[in-house]
Structure formats: C-alpha cells, structure tokens
Amino acid sequence: MVQLLRLLAFPFDTLAVPKCKSTPYDSNWPSEGEWVALNKSIDGTLVKTIPVASSCWPGNPFNSSVSCEVVKANWPLAAFHSELPESIDYPIYANNSCLPPGAAGYDEKRGCSLGGLPEYVVNATSEQHVATAMKWASQRHIRIAVKGTGHDLNGRSSGAYSISIWTRNFNKIEHNASWSLLNGEKENVLIAGSGNVWGDLYGAAAEQGRVVVGGNDETVGLGGFIQGGGHGPLTSTYGLATHQVLQATVVTTEGRILVANDRQNQDLFWAVRGGGAGQYGVITEYVLKTHPPPELVTVGTLQIAPRTDSGSLSTNATWDAAATLLSSIPDLMDSGLAGVTMLGTGRSAMSLYPSLKEPPSGVVMNQMFFGYNITPAAMALLVDPVITHIRSHSNNSKLAITWAEPAIYRNYTSFSKVISGTSNVAGGGALMSTRLLGRAELSELSQHKLANFLQKALRAQNESDGTLAIVGLQGGPGTARISESRWGSVNPAYRSAYVHFISMGASIDLTRPKEGLAAAADWLEENKEALFREWAPNTGAYINEANPFNSHWKQDIYGVHYEKLLETKKRYDPSESLYILNGVGSDRWDYDLDSGKLCQIL
Ligand SMILES: Cc1cc2nc3c(=O)[nH]c(=O)nc-3n(C[C@H](O)[C@H](O)[C@H](O)COP(=O)(O)OP(=O)(O)OC[C@H]3O[C@@H](n4cnc5c(N)ncnc54)[C@H](O)[C@@H]3O)c2cc1C
Ligand SMILES: *[C@@H]1O[C@H](CO)[C@@H](O)[C@H](O)[C@H]1NC(C)=O
Ligand SMILES: *[C@@H]1O[C@H](CO)[C@@H](O)[C@H](O)[C@H]1NC(C)=O
Ligand SMILES: *[C@@H]1O[C@H](CO)[C@@H](O)[C@H](O)[C@H]1NC(C)=O
Ligand SMILES: *[C@@H]1O[C@H](CO)[C@@H](O)[C@H](O)[C@H]1NC(C)=O
Ligand SMILES: *[C@@H]1O[C@H](CO)[C@@H](O)[C@H](O)[C@H]1NC(C)=O
Ligand SMILES: *[C@@H]1O[C@H](CO)[C@@H](O)[C@H](O)[C@H]1NC(C)=O
Ligand SMILES: *[C@@H]1O[C@H](CO)[C@@H](O)[C@H](O)[C@H]1NC(C)=O
Ligand SMILES: *[C@@H]1O[C@H](CO)[C@@H](O)[C@H](O)[C@H]1NC(C)=O
Ligand SMILES: *[C@@H]1O[C@H](CO)[C@@H](O)[C@H](O)[C@H]1NC(C)=O
C-alpha cells in the first residue's frame, strides 16, 4: 500500500526502476531462448558482440573474423571503428578490455574480454527493429546504448552489459527542394538517415549545388554530432548543425516511433536539438536545411613562433602575441572570417611547427583563416593590422611571423576535402577541458590577463611533452542570428560565443582505465576547470567536446535548460534505459568501469 501510494505520488520516481541495470550474472537476465525470440522479432538483426581485436589474443576467444594484422594497422583510424558494430574510437571508456598489441594502453596480461562493450548489438535497418528491441530491453531493465560511428570522445556509444542500437545502416539520403515548414515557407532540404557520416552528406549536397553544416572531419556521424549541437567550418555563417534540423524521427525506449517537428512532439523536438545525444531516444532520420555554397573560399595561414636564436628571451613575447591574436578574433569573425587557431607548447608544439628543431620556449601559434567569398587580398587587409599589432606589442626581433600567400578554392567541396584531415585519431584516450568564449573573455580584458589565462590553458601535466589547444572559430555572427524557434535546447551561452576553446594536457595512465581517468580528471579539475571558472564564469562547454568529469557539468553543458531537459527525458525514457556520461539525470547513476555495473546512487 505504501509502495502504491508512493508510486502514485511520484509517477516518474526512481521506485519503478530497480537499483541496478541487469547483467548476465543476474537471475532476471533473459535466457538464451528469449534472445533467440528477440532476434526473430527483429528480422535476425541481433549480433552477439565480437571485439574485433579478439584475433590478436590466444585462441581468438570471440572468433573475430578480422585478422590481427588488419586490426593493428587500422586501430588509429576512426573510419575503421565506425564500420564495426561494437568498436569505439576511445576504448579506454570501454575499459580497454580487448586491445591489439601496440595500441595505447595495451597490456599483455589483460587478455580479451567484453569489458565495457555491449553484450549484443542490433544492426537495425528499420524503425521497427529499434522500437521492438528497445521496448524488449527496457522491460527487462537492460541498459541501452546507441552507436553511430563510435567517435564520441567519452565513450558514450558503448556500455557494459548493454544492448546497443547501431544506426550505421540508416543511410538513406533524399533531396527535397521545397519541403514545407509549419508557417508555409519552403526549404531546400536533405532527408538523411542518422547513420550517414558528414562526408556522405557533403557529397549529396554538392550534387544539388548546396552545402550543409557539418563538422571539419568527414568521418563524424550525423547521430550524436547534431544532437549535441555540432559545429564546423560553416557555423560562423549559418549556425550549428542542430539549428538546421527541421524534423527528426525518434524511436523511444517504450517502442514508440515519433515524428518530431514544429507541429508535433515539440518538447522532444526541442530536446534532441542540442540537449545531447543518446538520452531521449534513437533518432533514425533528420530533415536538414541546406544552403547556397560560397563561390570561393580563401584559406590563409598565420604562423608565429619564437625566433630560434632568441632562446627563453622570447617566451613572454610569444604569450603576448597569442593574446593579441585571440583578442582580435571576434572582430575578424564579424568581418567574415572563420577558421581555427592551434596553440602548442613543449614537444607538442613541434607537430604544429615542423621546422622547430627543439621544443620552443613559450607558445607557438598556427592560425588558419577561412574566408567565404573573401578574396586573398581582402583577407590580407583584415589580417595585416593584427600582424602589425603583434609586431608592435611584442618585440619583433624575438618572433618569427609568417603569413603565406593564401590559397583559393573555387568550390566549397575542394576546400572541405582539404581541411577534413586524415582522421588518424582513434585508439588512445581523449580527455579535454573546454569552454565557449565570447568578446568579454577575448577582447574586453587586458592583454596581460589574457596572456596569463592562455599560459594556464596550455599547462601540461608533463611539461616537457607540453600540450596543444585547439580554438575553433565556430560561433559569432552565425550562431548569434539564429531565431529562437530554430535554436532548440542548445546552451544559450552559445549565442554570444565566438570560439570554442579546447584545452588538454592531462596525462592518462591508459593501462588502468578507472584509476587513470580519475587521476587525470582530478588534474583537469584543479588546473583547467578552475581556470575556466575564473576566465569565463558565465559561459559554458559544448557536450560533444567537453570534460565529462567537470564538477560543474550540469551548469556548464546544459545551462538554464537542465531542469526542462530532465523533465523531457523522464517523459520519453521513464525506465532510464538510456544512460550516458553527463546525460541529464545521470548523476543518479554510477557506472563502474571495473564491475561494469550501472546502479542508482541516489
Ligand atoms: C575525428 C573527430 C572529429 C571531430 N570533429 C568535430 C567537429 O568538427 N565539430 C564538432 O562539433 N564535433 C566534432 N567531433 C566531436 C563529435 O561531435 C563527437 O565525437 C560526437 O559524439 C560524434 O557523433 P557520432 O554520432 O559520430 O558518434 P557516436 O560515438 O556514434 O555517438 C555519439 C553519441 O551520440 C549518441 N548517438 C549516436 N547516434 C545516435 C542516434 N541516431 N540517436 C540517438 N543517439 C545517438 C551515442 O549514443 C553517443 O552518446 C569530432 C570527433 C572526432 C573523433
Ligand atoms: C540472429 O539471427 C540471424 C539470422 O538467423 C543469425 O545470423 C544471427 O547469428 C542471430 N544472432 C544471434 C545473436 O543469435
Ligand atoms: C568462427 O567464425 C567462422 C566465420 O568467420 C565460422 O566459420 C566458425 O565456425 C566460427 N568458429 C566458432 C568456434 O564459432
Ligand atoms: C576493467 O579493467 C580492470 C583493470 O583495469 C579490471 O580489473 C576489471 O575487471 C575490468 N572490468 C570489466 C567489466 O571488464
Ligand atoms: C548489418 O546490416 C547490413 C545491412 O543489412 C549488412 O550489410 C551488414 O553485413 C550487417 N553487419 C553485421 C556486422 O551484421
Ligand atoms: C517535398 O516535401 C513536400 C512536403 O513538405 C512534399 O509535398 C513533396 O512531395 C516533396 N517533394 C519531393 C520531390 O519529394
Ligand atoms: C616575463 O613576464 C614575467 C611576468 O610578467 C616577468 O616577471 C618577467 O620579467 C618577464 N621576462 C622577460 C624576459 O621579459
Ligand atoms: C628587442 O629584443 C632585442 C634582442 O632580444 C633587444 O636587443 C632589444 O633591446 C629589444 N627591444 C625592445 C624595445 O625591447
Ligand atoms: C571543384 O574543384 C575541384 C578542384 O578544382 C574540381 O576537381 C571539381 O570538379 C570541382 N567541383 C565542382 C562541382 O565544380
Ligand atoms: C614526460 O614525457 C616524456 C616523453 O615525452 C618522458 O620521457 C618523461 O618521463 C615524462 N615525464 C614524466 C614526469 O612523466
């Protein structure tokens, strides 16, 4: 009776949800026969997880059909993991439980086990597969994970003892030049399955003479990227990827297939546009606005390093130069420039500036500017005063400043291919601390203060290794002009942001995932989060590229939207089957990498 009253009084309360999600060691875990029945009900799309690197271990315990040589050669490639049902880019978040030799964190004594990988994967090709499997799993208190590419920097596309919905095969792409909005306006759209990667969309848009807002790297997927916000080279022109979403098809853990747009399921539509992926439901399809491409793109590169003969005398001059450069960015972006600033210290700086013979004293800068419909001459006119300013502020004889003749790309595709990079990034441990920064944090403080913040932002746990900071010019006019109705649930801090600042520098012991991450998180909290709270107390961080262990994550990631997102989450995932690190309501749960258990703590 008391139980019943409680249930009535707290319809969404935790009482309905058992303390821990099920594991195969629990008596209520489904029998073999039940899994077979599930498989039948979803057209045989259920896959038992086979860690791909099993072939590298004695006896190939999971019978992987991919040879160890192939696994070893491809382990650093994001695209390799993306084509596998279970694999993720940063396996430390799956407990590094089955690595190939040579991989960061490999330990011969570890053996090969599922660790933090799912038990089963649904290789879904229809909404019905997703709906049936999720309803089945949530009724049995089984954790549900969602994987598109597996690129998530914090392993959010995996989870021990889970059933994973793999969206890779939702890969339809259709064009519609006059898709109707609620207000009668017509938009030129691509209707795209969530399993596509940006490279696929860029090609499809180019065929129509259009562009879409995606990321720099073509291998990133639509699924998680869009729901977290999604920034890229066109963000300072057209806003975030999520601002282009006109409709989403969402499957809930209760097995409902919902079309969410301005007309229906508006609360869900709002939440999936910026409120973070993998927590409200599984998106199978997006309707995305396309835009006219720029007719030409100019790419200019400004490099600044200490002169090799100046020794440590140039240290202060480099920090002053970095401060001058960053303080000029809001004005440059208002004038139409986009791009990325890379800052480097110690040995890490040598990757930015290959001509350096030894780790520099101070900081090295590599500033890439993108100008859409801006000629090289016009770009030079914008950048020249900044260079002059740097020369006058910082004793010029101490700095090597290079501004090469900018390159011109006559169409957007050729530009996009060049900046896409090699995606040679997977396989290690990703941990960063990040912040959105606006005029107040870049242009409206003293150069001295800014230089001081930058020095702290580039601090590394191992000083001789040094570190990099990546500053994306991905805000400014593009995000500022988005209407309220298209904004969604993106942290409003993004409205006044000009750049997204990624700071790194923690050293992670990859052989002990749980302890290694905890120690690195402590260092980041003390050295980076504390800095950002002082530098930018009122802004925020971008969920897809943030420190998941930041003690102020609710405020920093979700800002004022947290409570409303939590209510929406409860409405659409009442069994709390979808758990992700930093998800709304995730503070009620503890996911222990050692035991693999996901249990309520509150
Ligand atoms: C090489 C590389 C380059 C990057 N470049 C950029 C960049 O330019 N700009 C930027 O903003 N970010 C960038 N990122 C970060 C990127 O936004 C995140 O890694 C993001 O999580 C990728 O989404 P995904 O769907 O590809 O990855 P996944 O790991 O598959 O998924 C990420 C999250 O989304 C969930 N999810 C995936 N698909 C769905 C779906 N259909 N429905 C519901 N939930 C889903 C997963 O459960 C997980 O929580 C980059 C990352 C990498 C590795
Ligand atoms: C599901 O069924 C298909 C088709 O019969 C089969 O190939 C696959 O191995 C089954 N999956 C599991 C986990 O048994
Ligand atoms: C291992 O997988 C292969 C196919 O890749 C299959 O032919 C073989 O029967 C499997 N062996 C075991 C022991 O499951
Ligand atoms: C995770 O790795 C640790 C070793 O770092 C190990 O003791 C533990 O059993 C692993 N947990 C799982 C679920 O694989
Ligand atoms: C997943 O499904 C697709 C499409 O049906 C199929 O081509 C692919 O082989 C499947 N992959 C796995 C690992 O089952
Ligand atoms: C485009 O979408 C509209 C609805 O918004 C529909 O009426 C029209 O038939 C679609 N056009 C094509 C070519 O599919
Ligand atoms: C560098 O700056 C620091 C702090 O502002 C100052 O104490 C120091 O004297 C400067 N060094 C040089 C060589 O100018
Ligand atoms: C600039 O640096 C050079 C060499 O380090 C030094 O000789 C000169 O006095 C400096 N000039 C100023 C204005 O600080
Ligand atoms: C874009 O430019 C590249 C290189 O100049 C060229 O190969 C390609 O055909 C162009 N594409 C279009 C659509 O014009
Ligand atoms: C710092 O990194 C270097 C390798 O780049 C290594 O040789 C050194 O031992 C590390 N220092 C510490 C304190 O870990």
Side-chain angles (χ1 to χ4, degrees):
M1 188 60 194
V2 173
Q3 287 278 340
L4 181 65
L5 282 176
R6 278 203 194 137
L7 278 174
L8 292 173
F10 306 106
F12 299 121
D13 201 78
T14 60
L15 293 169
V17 179
K19 190 163 186 315
C20 296
K21 292 296 174 192
S22 292
T23 79
Y25 307 105
D26 299 328
S27 55
N28 60 354
W29 185 257
S31 66
E32 200 57 42
E34 283 179 273
W35 287 103
V36 170
L38 168 66
N39 194 12
K40 280 218 175 76
S41 72
I42 53 173
D43 300 330
T45 54
L46 190 69
V47 179
K48 185 88 184 87
T49 301
I50 300 174
V52 69
S54 164
S55 53
C56 299
W57 293 89
N60 191 359
F62 292 89
N63 195 25
S64 167
S65 61
V66 183
S67 81
C68 183
E69 287 313 307
V70 170
V71 175
K72 279 197 288 191
N74 288 285
W75 199 249
L77 297 177
F80 176 68
H81 301 276
S82 131
E83 294 306 320
L84 295 163
E86 84 296 342
S87 210
I88 60 171
D89 280 19
Y90 302 101
I92 188 171
Y93 291 97
N95 208 29
N96 276 342
S97 57
C98 187
L99 300 181
Y106 175 79
D107 177 355
E108 204 184 359
K109 294 188 290 292
R110 282 293 303 269
C112 171
S113 63
L114 286 188
L117 295 176
E119 290 286 321
Y120 291 91
V121 181
V122 179
N123 181 10
T125 53
S126 76
E127 273 91 11
Q128 207 57 57
H129 295 155
V130 180
T132 304
M134 292 218 288
K135 184 174 178 186
W136 184 93
S138 58
Q139 284 171 342
R140 287 161 180 77
H141 313 300
I142 294 173
R143 176 178 175 183
I144 300 172
V146 191
K147 181 192 158 180
T149 63
H151 275 23
D152 192 84
L153 299 169
N154 307 121
R156 294 188 185 94
S157 23
S158 193
Y161 310 130
S162 67
I163 179 168
S164 171
I165 308 296
W166 187 33
T167 58
R168 180 70 186 104
N169 290 299
F170 286 97
N171 48 19
K172 142 178 155 185
I173 304 181
E174 274 171 26
H175 175 245
N176 187 326
S178 56
W179 197 84
S180 299
L181 277 169
L182 181 59
N183 63 11
E185 280 173 25
K186 305 276 192 231
E187 289 285 4
N188 189 318
V189 302
L190 286 179
I191 302 169
S194 61
N196 286 294
V197 295
W198 285 111
D200 302 326
L201 273 267
Y202 294 161
E207 276 173 31
Q208 305 296 332
R210 307 286 289 181
V211 290
V212 285
V213 179
N216 274 12
D217 192 295
E218 299 204 338
T219 69
V220 178
L222 271 58
F225 179 95
I226 295 180
Q227 291 172 72
H231 59 206
L234 288 171
T235 292
S236 58
T237 311
Y238 295 125
L240 297 167
T242 211
H243 297 144
Q244 321 307 320
V245 178
L246 303 180
Q247 179 172 294
T249 306
V250 190
V251 185
T252 72
T253 56
E254 295 179 297
R256 291 193 289 162
I257 300 169
L258 303 173
V259 172
N261 56 30
D262 291 341
R263 195 188 305 266
Q264 62 195 57
N265 300 306
Q266 294 97 331
D267 55 345
L268 183 60
F269 188 47
W270 174 81
V272 298
R273 286 179 298 147
Q279 32 181 340
Y280 311 98
V282 172
I283 293 194
T284 53
E285 186 175 293
Y286 291 102
V287 175
L288 298 173
K289 195 169 160 166
T290 69
H291 296 276
E295 275 158 27
L296 69 86
V297 184
T298 295
V299 176
T301 307
L302 173 64
Q303 291 188 309
I304 305 174
R307 281 179 55 141
T308 45
D309 54 1
S310 66
S312 62
L313 285 174
S314 52
T315 308
N316 287 9
T318 63
W319 291 111
D320 284 346
T324 306
L325 175 61
L326 285 186
S327 67
S328 69
I329 281 181
D331 282 346
L332 291 173
M333 289 179 74
D334 282 347
S335 305
L337 298 189
V340 59
T341 320
M342 302 279 290
L343 303 171
T345 56
R347 246 185 298 278
S348 304
M350 296 166 77
S351 66
L352 286 186
Y353 220 91
S355 63
L356 290 172
K357 298 281 180 295
E358 55 186 87
S361 164
V363 64
V364 159
M365 288 142 264
N366 190 326
Q367 170 69 56
M368 231 204 271
F369 286 118
F370 310 149
Y372 307 121
N373 297 330
I374 289 179
T375 62
M379 181 180 279
L381 276 182
L382 293 171
V383 177
D384 275 347
V386 178
I387 296 175
T388 305
H389 195 180
I390 290 172
R391 286 195 202 284
S392 69
H393 253 263
S394 335
N395 187 335
N396 184 32
S397 62
K398 293 173 182 165
L399 298 176
I401 303 178
T402 332
W403 171 252
E405 176 61 21
I408 305 187
Y409 298 91
R410 297 282 168 194
N411 63 49
Y412 188 80
T413 302
S414 51
F415 157 72
S416 177
K417 295 273 178 219
V418 166
I419 60 163
S420 182
T422 62
S423 77
N424 216 3
V425 295
L431 201 53
M432 49 180 61
S433 167
T434 67
R435 207 72 166 181
L436 295 164
L437 303 174
R439 274 190 183 278
E441 295 80 25
L442 296 170
S443 312
E444 293 166 3
L445 71 180
S446 75
Q447 158 147 337
H448 179 73
K449 199 149 196 194
L450 182 54
N452 192 257
F453 287 144
L454 289 172
Q455 285 179 29
K456 290 179 180 164
L458 269 293
R459 188 168 288 165
Q461 215 168 342
N462 181 327
E463 292 292 352
S464 61
D465 274 350
T467 190
L468 297 177
I470 304 169
V471 189
L473 278 54
Q474 290 144 339
T479 39
R481 69 167 80 96
I482 299 297
S483 71
E484 199 48 50
S485 65
R486 295 266 70 84
W487 186 264
S489 52
V490 174
N491 188 338
Y494 224 125
R495 269 204 186 279
S496 52
Y498 277 83
V499 306
H500 180 248
F501 194 110
I502 299 179
S503 166
M504 292 178 277
S507 310
I508 312 176
D509 177 358
L510 296 165
T511 61
R512 296 155 67 236
K514 184 181 167 178
E515 296 83 1
L517 285 171
D522 284 348
W523 187 85
L524 282 183
E525 184 72 25
E526 208 173 297
N527 290 278
K528 304 294 168 107
E529 298 304 335
L531 160 70
F532 285 135
R533 261 166 237 144
E534 185 190 348
W535 184 0
N538 304 316
T539 68
Y542 162 51
I543 185 166
N544 284 344
E545 297 173 333
N547 170 10
F549 306 110
N550 168 8
S551 64
H552 289 41
W553 63 272
K554 282 188 189 175
Q555 173 61 32
D556 289 347
I557 289 174
Y558 301 97
V560 293
H561 293 326
Y562 186 82
E563 291 302 327
K564 192 172 162 199
L565 285 167
L566 182 59
E567 281 167 31
T568 313
K569 157 88 176 171
K570 287 174 175 171
R571 213 171 298 138
Y572 289 96
D573 179 26
S575 59
E576 296 178 81
S577 299
L578 292 164
Y579 164 88
I580 58 159
L581 204 50
N582 289 153
V584 296
S586 63
D587 52 332
R588 303 196 327 102
W589 295 86
D590 174 55
Y591 175 40
D592 185 320
L593 267 186
D594 272 350
S595 68
K597 283 191 165 190
L598 177 61
C599 295
Q600 285 185 51
I601 49 175
L602 298 177

